[in-house]
Amino acid sequence: MAENRGVVFLGQNKVEVQSIDFPKMQNPAGKKVGHGVILKVVSTNICGSDQHMVRGRTTAPTGMVLGHEITGEVIEAGSDVEYIKVGDLVTVPFNVACGRCRTCREQQTGVCLNVNPGRAGGAYGYVDMGGWIGGQAEFVFVPYADFNLIPFPDKAQAMEKILDLTMLSDILPTGFHGAVTAGVGVGSTVYVAGAGPVGMAAAASAQILGAAVVLVGDMNTDRLKHVADVGFVPVDLREGDNLGELIEKILGKPEVDAAIDAVGFEAKAQGKNGQEAPATVLNSLMSVVRAAGGIGIPGLYVTEDPGAADAAGKTGNLSLRFGLGWAKSHRFYTGQTPVLKYNRQLMQAILHGRIPIAKIVNATVISLGDAAEGYKAFDSGAAKKFVLDPHGLLGK
C-alpha cells in the first residue's frame, strides 16, 4: 500500500500532518465507484473557511482531513472515466458535484443534490459537506471526474503559472462570483468588505469586469498596506464606525454601485475596538449600496456556530436590518460558488496574463509539513495566501 500524509483537524486551534490512508476508488459510504480518479496533489491551499473549523466555530469532528482547494496530476482513473486521462494536470473545483441532478444541470454545482445525504452541496474536507476526504494531502480521490475536473491544455505552461492556477479551485471563482452577482460592470464603483484572500480575489474580479474604482475595507494594517500595493483603494475601518462617511471621503458621496461581503459570520464591528458582530458587514453594505444596487455574499455563513456569543448566533440567526435592503430594492445573492460556471474563462484569463491573482493575494509557498505554522500565521492576519507543496514541485 502506498503511503499518504494529510493535514488532520485535532480540535480547536490544533492541526497536525499525519499518516492517512491512501485514497480508494470509493465514496464516503464505502461504495466502490468507477467514475473517479486518484490525484497526486501538486498544490493545495489553506482557506479562510478551513480556519472557521480550526477555530472551533463549526461542528467539524476531530480526525477530519482538511482541504478543499486542490490542483493535481491524475495517477489513476476509474473504469467509468472516459475523457480525463492519467497524466493530466487538473484543477479541482471545491464543489463535489454529480453532473446529473437538476441543480448541476442548471450550473448550480454548489448545491448538488446527490453527493451529500445531509443537505444540498458537497465539498472536500469540510464539515457537513458529505464526508469527502480533504485534499491537504499528498494524494486524494476525486469523484465524477469527467464532470468535475478541468485539465490544463499545456502542462509545462500551467506549471509556469501554477501559483495563479491553484487559485482556480476556490478563491478566484468565489471572488468572481461575488462580483458578478453584485452586478459589477464597466464603470462600477465597488466596495469589498474584507482584505483576506477572497476579498482580494473579489477586488481583482471587479477590476477585470470593468469597475472604475475598487475599495477594500479591513482593520488589519498589513492587509490594508497590501491592498494599496496591488492597486486597490484601502478603507481603514478603525477610523470610524460609519462606513458611508469613510467612503464619502474617497468618492465624494457615501455610496457605491455594488458591494461584496468577503468576511462572513466571524465579522467584527467597525471602530478601534471592534467586537465580533456577525451581521455588521451585511448591515453596513445595505447602508452604502445605492438604491437598486447589488450585494454579493461569498463570505461564509453557517447554520451552526458553537462559538457564537449569543443563542441566536449558535443557529445562524443574525439581526439583519433587512427592511433597509428591501426599501432600497437591493439584490442579495448568497451561497457557495458554483466553481465550474466560471473556471474555464478564469483559466484563460490567467494563462493570457489578464489577472495576476497570485500577486494580488500574495501567494506564499510552504511545505505540507509546515501546514500547522501556516494555519497559525494565517489566523493571526498575515497578508498572505498559503499554498502547500506536498511533493516539492512548486519551488519557493
Side-chain angles (χ1 to χ4, degrees), residues 111-133:
V111 281
C112 174
L113 303 177
N114 289 330
V115 296
N116 183 355
R119 63 168 74 169
Y124 304 92
Y126 208 84
V127 60
D128 296 331
M129 288 286 103
W132 300 92
I133 295 171

Side-chain angles (χ1 to χ4, degrees), residues 193-261:
V198 169
M200 297 306 294
S205 298
Q207 187 174 67
I208 203 171
L209 287 167
V213 60
V214 182
L215 288 65
V216 183
D218 208 288
M219 291 181 279
N220 179 300
T221 300
D222 290 341
R223 288 184 169 180
L224 289 167
K225 180 180 183 301
H226 183 66
V227 168
D229 288 344
V230 294
F232 304 112
V233 181
V235 180
D236 190 340
L237 301 178
R238 297 167 297 187
E239 294 181 354
D241 58 8
N242 186 308
L243 181 59
E245 291 179 358
L246 298 179
I247 289 175
E248 186 171 20
K249 290 178 181 178
I250 300 167
L251 298 182
K253 59 181 180 180
E255 68 176 21
V256 292
D257 296 318
I260 302 160
D261 174 5

Side-chain angles (χ1 to χ4, degrees), residues 49-332:
S49 298
D50 299 321
Q51 291 284 17
H52 295 308
M53 291 187 291
V54 173
R55 291 186 193 118
R57 299 301 297 267
T58 73
T59 56
T62 58
M64 173 181 285
V65 180
L66 301 173
H68 56 273
E69 300 190 9
I70 309 164
T71 305
E73 181 182 1
V74 178
I75 62 169
E76 183 179 346
S79 58
D80 294 337
V81 177
E82 293 186 66
Y83 307 112
I84 298 294
K85 306 299 183 186
V86 170
D88 283 348
L89 182 63
V90 298
T91 181
V92 184
F94 78 86
N95 318 111
V96 181
C98 73
R100 305 165 184 177
C101 68
R102 175 180 178 175
T103 52
C104 282
R105 289 169 186 252
E106 293 173 348
Q107 290 191 306
Q108 296 294 340
T109 52
V111 281
C112 174
L113 303 177
N114 289 330
V115 296
N116 183 355
R119 63 168 74 169
Y124 304 92
Y126 208 84
V127 60
D128 296 331
M129 288 286 103
W132 300 92
I133 295 171
Q136 285 175 11
E138 293 175 327
F139 301 92
V140 68
F141 170 69
V142 174
Y144 304 103
D146 281 328
F147 180 70
N148 285 301
L149 298 183
I150 300 176
F152 299 122
D154 184 292
K155 287 177 70 173
Q157 179 194 31
M159 287 305 296
E160 289 177 0
K161 289 184 173 288
I162 193 64
L163 291 188
D164 296 289
L165 294 169
T166 191
M167 306 306 165
L168 286 174
S169 56
D170 182 356
I171 67 164
L172 180 53
T174 292
F176 193 79
H177 183 62
V180 168
T181 56
V184 176
V186 175
S188 297
T189 56
V190 182
Y191 175 76
V192 179
V198 169
M200 297 306 294
S205 298
Q207 187 174 67
I208 203 171
L209 287 167
V213 60
V214 182
L215 288 65
V216 183
D218 208 288
M219 291 181 279
N220 179 300
T221 300
D222 290 341
R223 288 184 169 180
L224 289 167
K225 180 180 183 301
H226 183 66
V227 168
D229 288 344
V230 294
F232 304 112
V233 181
V235 180
D236 190 340
L237 301 178
R238 297 167 297 187
E239 294 181 354
D241 58 8
N242 186 308
L243 181 59
E245 291 179 358
L246 298 179
I247 289 175
E248 186 171 20
K249 290 178 181 178
I250 300 167
L251 298 182
K253 59 181 180 180
E255 68 176 21
V256 292
D257 296 318
I260 302 160
D261 174 5
V263 178
F265 75 104
E266 287 193 70
K268 294 183 179 179
Q270 283 182 232
K272 294 181 180 179
N273 298 306
Q275 301 296 314
E276 190 167 303
T280 190
V281 170
L282 294 174
N283 286 331
S284 67
L285 297 190
M286 284 187 279
S287 74
V288 300
V289 172
R290 67 172 177 84
I295 300 172
I297 311 172
L300 176 67
Y301 289 85
V302 295
T303 55
E304 293 183 77
D305 175 9
D310 56 43
K314 290 182 186 298
T315 55
N317 285 290
L318 308 178
S319 296
L320 284 177
R321 194 182 176 194
F322 190 73
L324 176 61
W326 188 94
K328 295 174 77 174
S329 293
H330 282 162
R331 302 183 310 277
F332 299 84

Side-chain angles (χ1 to χ4, degrees), residues 311-374:
K314 290 182 186 298
T315 55
N317 285 290
L318 308 178
S319 296
L320 284 177
R321 194 182 176 194
F322 190 73
L324 176 61
W326 188 94
K328 295 174 77 174
S329 293
H330 282 162
R331 302 183 310 277
F332 299 84
Y333 205 106
T334 69
Q336 291 192 58
T337 299
V339 172
L340 273 175
K341 189 173 184 177
Y342 306 111
N343 258 17
R344 289 192 184 277
Q345 66 208 73
L346 292 173
M347 177 180 69
Q348 292 298 323
I350 288 171
L351 292 176
H352 291 280
R354 293 295 308 281
I355 186 164
I357 189 64
K359 177 183 177 181
I360 290 169
V361 302
N362 197 14
T364 303
V365 177
I366 61 176
S367 70
L368 182 67
D370 289 334
E373 288 73 18

